[in-house]
Each structure stands twice: as C-alpha cells, then as structure tokens.
Amino acid sequence: MKARTWVQWGLLLSPLPAFVLALQVGAYPVPWETLWGAFVYCPEQAALPDYLRVIIFNVRLPRIVLAMLVGLTLSFSGATLQAVFRNPLVDAYLLGLSSGAAFGCAISVAFFPSLPIQVGAFIFSLLAAFLTFTLARTRGEVPTLSLILAGIVVSAFFAALVSIIKFVVDPYKLASIVYWLMGSLSLADWHAVATALPWMLVGGGMVWLGRWRLNALSMGEAEAKTLGVEVGRERGLFILAAAIAVAAAVSVSGIIGWVGLMTPHIVRMLVGPDHRRVIPLSMTVGASFMLLSDTVARTFTAGEIPVGIITTLFGAPFFIYLLKKGGQESWKT
Amino acid sequence: MITVTDLSIQLNGQPILNGVTIEARPGEVTVLLGPNGSGKTTLLLCLSAQLRPQSGTIMLGGHQLEGLPRRRLAQLVATVPQEHHPVFPYTVRELILLGRVSRVGYWAQPGSRDQELVQDILELLGIKSLADKPYTRISGGERQLVLIARCLAQEPQVLLLDEPTSHLDFKNQVVILELVRDLARQRQFTVLLTLHDPNLALLFADRVVLLAGGQVVAQGTPGEVVQPAAMAQLYGMEVEMLSQGERRLLCPKLS
C-alpha cells in the first residue's frame, strides 16, 4: 500500500522534471540559473537578454505546453475508450479520427492552401468520428462490435482518399503531407496552443468529472444498466468528449501513435484499474511521456525527427516488456 | 413488493412469457422453479427493465416499472447477474462501491458516507479480509457474496438473483441462500430468485412459483407447490418424496 502511494505521487508529479529538462536542452542550451531568472526571480543587473527571452517564452515554452497537452489528451481519451469498449486494444484513432484528420490535412495542403491545415484536420477528424458513430448505430443502439467495424471501414475509406491525393499532388506538397502524417510538434506556437486548448479542456473536463462512472460502464452494458447507468447516453457522452479533445490534438500535432494505447496500460499496471486514479494519472504520465519524446525528437539529431516515430520506437518495446512482466495484472479476459 | 400482471413477451417472434401473473412480498423469499427454457431468466430481465414486455404491467414497491428512469430503478431494484466477467481486476471494495452509482451525482465522486456504507456491508457479510483483493482472484462463493454486497450498497427494496447457486459447491449454496433469506427477513427486502434444485426451494423459499413454457402453472408455499406430482410434470421426470419429521426431500426415481 505504501509503495503504491509513492508510485502515485511519482506519476502525478512526473511532468515537473520533464518540464524543466525540456526547457534546458535544445540547439541552444539554457542553464539552470537563467531559467530561474526567467521564471522566478531575476536581479536587475543580470536582466535576461532578448534572444533568450524569445527562445524560452516564444519557442520552447509553447512547444512544451503543446506537447504536454497532446500527450495528456491522447492518454486520457485512450483510457476512456478502453473502459467504455472494455477492449485493451482501443484508442481514439479507432473512431477513424486519425484518417479523417489525415484527409483534412491532405486536401488543405493539396487543394485549399487558404484553409489552415489545423482547421481542415479538426473538421474532418470529427466528421470521420461522427460517420463511424452513425454507421455503427442500429435501432438506436451502438453495439461495440459494429462501432469497431465501422471505425475500420471509415479509416480505410479516408486512407484511400488520402492515397489518391498523395498520388496526384506535386512532390513538394507530397512531402509536407507525409511529414504532417508522421506527427510533429515543430510548428508549435502560442496560437496552436490557444486553438487546441478549449476543446481539450471541455473533453478532458467531462471525463475528469465523470471518471468514476467509467468503472460502472466497464462492467458491460447489461450490468451497467442494472446499476443505474443510462448506458447509451453516457457512453455517447464519453466518446464525444474523447473525440473532440483528440480531434483538437491531432489538428495541431499530426498523428502520433502509441501514446493513447500505452499510457493507460502502464498506469493500470502501476496503480490498479480504478478510473478515479487511472484518468488523472494517465493525464500526467501521457504529458511527461510526450514531452520527453518530443525533447528527444528535437535534440537527438541536428535536424528534427517526427515525434510519432520516437513515441513508437520507445513505446512498442516498453509495452511488450510490461505485458510480459505483468500484463495479466492489468487486464483479465 | 413485486406485482406482475398478465405479462407477455416475444423475442424474435417466439413467445417466451405468456400471461404471467405473480406476486412477491417484502420480507419473503420467492423462488422461481422451472426447466431450462421455461422463461425464468426472461422474467427477471423484464423485472430489471433489461427486456421490455409487449403487454402486461409490473409494479415494484408501488411504482410502475414502465417509464421509470434507470437511476430511479436502480434505487429500487438490485440484481445479481447470472454470469459476471469484469475485464478490469477491480478490488472487492471498488466493485461494491459501484452499487452507489445510482445514489451519487452524475459528475461527482463517491464520498466518505459511501465509503463507510461499503465498510459496514463488508463487516456485515464477514468479507472484510477480501476488501483489497482483486475481484478476479477470489473464489466463486466469495464472488457471489461480493455481488450481494454490491446489491446491498444500492439500498434497494427488491433483490433479484438469477441462479445464485449455479457455480457454487454444496456448502456455499447453503451459505448464500441462508444469507439471502436472513437479509429478506431483517431488511424487509422483496427477494425473487431462480433455482434449478427444487430441494433448495424446499429449504429456503417462503413462496414458490412454477413456470413451464412461459406460463405460471402453480404458485404458493413450498408445502403446497413442491409436490411429487407437480415436480414430475414440471421436469418430465419421475420423482418421489422422502420425509423425515418436518423435513422433506425430493429424489429422482431411477430406472
């Protein structure tokens, strides 16, 4: 019990060291004293030079904030949908969000340069999720299996459309589509943070407040009903909350895989399955993981590696290690 | 109090229940007996509003079931499901706490009063030692106790149990049914449960309802209803009654 409390505090506070580290490292290293001066207290004679102010507050800080927000969003939505669908292999991309976003990006790059990629991606990822939900709906109910199948169909459809666009556009546009699809935070600025934040707050807030009911929903449809849950309506609300938050995340970061799938598993293995703990800790662990991955992505080489590649390279082996070690603890079928 | 009047339901065009009229009273254990496929489970599913009958009325503790919101219904009726496969290994305490879902606000977390109630229930049922164990790692008898504990956390008036003894050993069958009977007596629950073994009904039931082919063929006290002739007809098998003093026991006639 004691050890578990320590683990919980560690996970909860993990974004802090990641935050400090990410501010310090980069093409221009910022020493600890300078950071202290910039954020906490700075004597007048050692005023912060302008270029450092720009690096810290306009380059690094928005990117760090955005990385944490995206990681947090992907993770809590993954945890939410895994509970709602009682399926360990689910994340928000299952709803077709990622392929929809990819299509939105592709058409805005290829045909509508005046339409910002972020807007195109946001609209089409929500549209894809809506389409998935509508296709899966039969006689007023949305069975899990048909939702998963509909998600696969919608994803495949949008993926095919993206392929057509890739096939016809010129190589420069193709390159920017491909780069965007790999997932990257290199275009992060305060504007991106401001566009994504409200949606993430709404979605995250709903899930945060309703997190205990996820335990009841994860009991399965029939049992949740006898416990007093309006299963159809409440499940729809949770899916909606996850979808709008993830659509916002995808629109500013591209498609970053594995975070939403992996983080909730790690958290459950460490602190158990109760969603009153899993949701908050998925948020902080997702934020730290994403931030560290992005820090590696921008410092590891002289150029910039798309962060989606880093999350997958870290995530996949770590996930397998955890499954071999204690997968049965976190999930029992 | 459960009052079912003239209840009929068809599933996929097949009539499952036909004009069922039964009554179950507070403080009593009412047992549904009948062969496989006689409609026992369907009747319970109608009572917990998981299936919607085509005709007939169901009254639960003075409320008409039709049109009752799930939340209100869960405050009236608690169900022990026949099969139970949680995918997450919640602890026993977390699982019992879910009984409070219908009593806690939509956007709220269970508070200390809910936690205390769960603690009291754990003590009442003598399963305090299980509280922090994963539900997936305890025995079948213990699981049944935990599910009953979750029902108690709902603070209902009606308790429905679908074959609560089906996966239990000889002793645990008796333990669970004694517990259910004591709860009915002490808390004035209206208990309705299905059983496969008429001998258990003889031991624990206050009232027995016989179902065959979706219709009620008899209801009354065990002494009136559980008779060799009726049982022979119900299950299509020759049986004889052995008695010793007050105790009676049904025994199949072997060829």
Side-chain angles (χ1 to χ4, degrees):
Chain A
M1 244 5 234
K2 197 105 201 271
R4 188 175 260 205
T5 313
W6 278 107
V7 168
Q8 286 185 30
W9 279 104
L11 296 181
L12 200 64
L13 298 176
S14 62
L16 284 177
F19 178 78
V20 174
L21 178 77
L23 272 175
Q24 288 185 315
V25 301
Y28 189 96
V30 177
W32 169 246
E33 305 84 57
T34 315
L35 273 186
W36 184 264
F39 278 93
V40 187
Y41 169 71
C42 182
E44 270 183 38
Q45 61 270 32
L48 203 62
D50 276 345
Y51 73 94
L52 264 184
R53 195 166 282 281
V54 170
I55 289 179
I56 295 175
F57 288 104
N58 292 350
V59 178
R60 253 170 230 176
L61 198 56
R63 182 165 182 163
I64 286 169
V65 171
L66 198 67
M68 298 209 294
L69 286 175
V70 168
L72 175 154
T73 298
L74 293 175
S75 303
F76 90 72
S77 62
T80 304
L81 295 179
Q82 284 169 14
V84 168
F85 293 126
R86 317 176 76 211
N87 189 326
L89 297 175
V90 158
D91 64 10
Y93 296 156
L94 163 103
L95 299 169
L97 280 160
S98 51
S99 322
F103 177 69
C105 157
I107 60 165
S108 79
V109 169
F111 306 121
F112 303 104
S114 59
L115 177 76
I117 294 182
Q118 295 171 2
V119 176
F122 182 73
I123 292 172
F124 279 97
S125 60
L126 271 190
L127 186 77
F130 178 74
L131 212 63
T132 303
F133 207 75
T134 315
L135 283 177
R137 202 179 163 94
T138 42
R139 278 179 279 143
E141 305 240 334
V142 183
T144 304
L145 186 62
S146 28
L147 197 78
I148 290 172
L149 289 176
I152 291 171
V153 171
V154 170
S155 293
F157 179 72
F158 278 111
L161 291 180
V162 170
S163 297
I164 295 176
I165 295 174
K166 280 185 185 168
F167 187 69
V168 297
V169 293
D170 67 61
Y172 296 106
K173 287 179 171 175
L174 178 63
S176 75
I177 295 176
V178 168
Y179 191 74
W180 191 88
L181 290 184
M182 284 193 276
S184 168
L185 290 158
S186 59
L187 299 174
D189 54 18
W190 286 118
H191 179 69
V193 172
T195 42
L197 187 62
W199 306 100
M200 293 169 165
L201 278 181
V202 170
M206 280 166 72
V207 172
W208 173 281
L209 289 175
R211 62 194 191 275
W212 181 54
R213 298 182 88 78
L214 285 173
N215 286 2
L217 274 173
S218 76
M219 289 283 125
E221 195 166 333
E223 215 173 314
K225 278 182 182 170
T226 66
L227 291 172
V229 178
E230 292 284 355
V231 174
R233 196 167 64 206
E234 291 187 32
R235 195 159 67 174
L237 267 182
F238 276 115
I239 295 173
L240 179 73
I244 55 172
V246 171
V250 167
S251 73
V252 291
S253 70
I255 296 155
I256 298 171
W258 278 93
V259 180
L261 197 62
M262 189 181 67
T263 317
H265 279 272
I266 294 175
V267 171
R268 276 195 295 265
M269 281 172 201
L270 293 171
V271 305
D274 189 339
H275 289 87
R276 284 176 296 166
R277 288 190 299 271
V278 168
I279 293 297
L281 293 177
S282 287
M283 288 176 169
T284 59
V285 171
S288 323
F289 177 63
M290 193 68 194
L291 183 52
L292 288 176
S293 300
D294 185 54
T295 306
V296 170
R298 69 187 167 82
T299 55
F300 200 63
T301 60
E304 167 132 6
I305 310 169
V307 67
I309 296 175
I310 305 287
T311 55
T312 308
L313 280 180
F314 271 132
F318 188 53
F319 192 54
I320 288 173
Y321 163 76
L322 282 174
L323 280 180
K324 290 274 177 208
K325 192 162 160 269
Q328 301 88 341
E329 297 295 317
S330 125
W331 204 281
K332 169 121 186 165
T333 42
Chain B
M1 180 85 167
I2 304 174
T3 318
V4 176
T5 315
D6 205 19
L7 183 88
S8 298
I9 181 170
Q10 298 185 352
L11 295 176
N12 303 322
Q14 291 279 98
I16 307 292
L17 293 175
N18 203 348
V20 169
T21 298
I22 62 164
E23 194 182 88
R25 299 193 197 110
E28 289 187 353
V29 174
T30 305
V31 172
L32 289 173
L33 283 180
N36 289 329
S38 58
K40 302 188 295 292
T41 298
T42 307
L43 181 54
L44 287 194
L45 289 175
C46 287
L47 287 170
S48 58
Q50 297 184 65
L51 287 176
R52 215 184 150 151
Q54 266 88 17
S55 64
T57 54
I58 299 171
M59 300 288 287
L60 294 167
H63 301 267
Q64 184 144 7
L65 181 84
E66 174 119 30
L68 215 57
R70 291 239 171 258
R71 189 181 173 77
R72 186 77 192 90
L73 184 67
Q75 296 169 0
L76 283 174
V77 183
T79 307
V80 173
Q82 194 176 73
E83 289 193 35
H84 189 71
H85 304 286
V87 285
F88 296 106
Y90 293 115
T91 65
V92 164
R93 190 191 298 279
E94 287 160 357
L95 198 101
I96 296 173
L97 193 59
L98 286 180
R100 303 302 293 166
V101 161
S102 59
R103 304 270 177 184
V104 172
Y106 277 108
W107 304 105
Q109 315 297 317
S112 56
R113 213 191 75 80
D114 301 299
Q115 302 278 4
E116 281 161 24
L117 182 81
V118 169
Q119 189 63 32
D120 291 347
I121 293 170
L122 284 165
E123 274 165 36
L124 177 76
L125 300 193
I127 50 176
K128 230 165 61 175
S129 59
L130 298 178
D132 294 307
K133 286 191 183 157
Y135 175 81
T136 45
R137 294 273 189 85
I138 58 179
S139 74
E142 290 168 339
R143 281 188 192 201
Q144 209 62 260
L145 280 174
V146 171
L147 290 176
I148 291 172
R150 192 179 70 183
C151 287
L152 293 184
Q154 281 177 248
E155 299 180 301
Q157 295 176 17
V158 173
L159 213 53
L160 305 175
L161 302 95
D162 196 2
E163 287 170 30
T165 55
S166 56
H167 299 293
L168 301 185
D169 65 29
F170 193 47
K171 179 195 165 191
N172 276 322
Q173 294 186 353
V174 176
V175 169
I176 293 292
L177 289 176
E178 271 192 310
L179 171 69
V180 167
R181 188 186 56 189
D182 292 348
L183 287 171
R185 299 270 190 281
Q186 288 157 13
R187 306 200 167 195
Q188 289 300 301
F189 286 142
T190 306
V191 178
L192 184 65
L193 55 88
T194 64
L195 286 177
H196 274 312
D197 184 351
N199 283 317
L200 289 174
L202 277 174
L203 284 170
F204 295 102
D206 298 304
R207 284 175 64 81
V208 177
V209 176
L210 303 188
L211 267 183
Q215 287 177 314
V216 176
V217 290
Q219 54 185 319
T221 64
E224 295 161 8
V225 175
V226 185
Q227 291 293 343
M231 291 298 109
Q233 203 180 20
L234 190 68
Y235 292 104
M237 175 179 76
E238 290 293 302
V239 291
E240 56 191 333
M241 186 72 84
L242 312 174
S243 329
Q244 186 171 32
E246 290 281 286
R247 287 265 160 262
R248 302 186 306 141
L249 195 65
L250 277 171
C251 190
K253 265 187 202 157
L254 300 178
S255 50

